Amino acid sequence: SWLTQHEFTKFDLESGWTDAIKIQGWKVGDYFMSVRIALCGSRQTPPTTATMLVLGREEVLSRLNHSINLIT
C-alpha cells in the first residue's frame, strides 16, 4: 500500500497520499472521511494527518486493516 512504500511524514501524507488518491479518481474529502472514521471511530476528529502522525505508522496500518476486515 502507499502507506508502507513512502515516508510517514506530514508532507508525504498531505501531498503524496493526496496525489495518489486523486490519480485513482476518488474524492479526497470522502476518502479522508473514511480514513478518519476507520482511525478514530468518529467523523469529528483532529486533522487526519495529525492524528496519523500521533498514532504512528504501525497503529494506523493496524486500525485501517481492522476496519477493512470488518467490512469485507
Side-chain angles (χ1 to χ4, degrees), residues 38-56:
L39 294 178
C40 299
S42 175
R43 293 178 56 138
Q44 298 192 358
T45 67
T48 305
T49 54
T51 301
M52 293 172 77
L53 292 170
V54 169
L55 292 172

Side-chain angles (χ1 to χ4, degrees), residues 1-9 11-13 16-17 20 57:
S1 81
W2 190 94
L3 287 174
T4 59
Q5 298 171 1
H6 293 83
E7 294 294 319
F8 199 78
T9 65
F11 175 80
D12 286 321
L13 291 173
W17 199 17
R57 183 192 315 253

Side-chain angles (χ1 to χ4, degrees), residues 59-70:
E59 184 63 23
V60 167
L61 291 172
S62 174
R63 291 182 186 202
L64 292 175
N65 285 327
H66 176 74
S67 295
I68 289 167
N69 288 334
L70 287 174

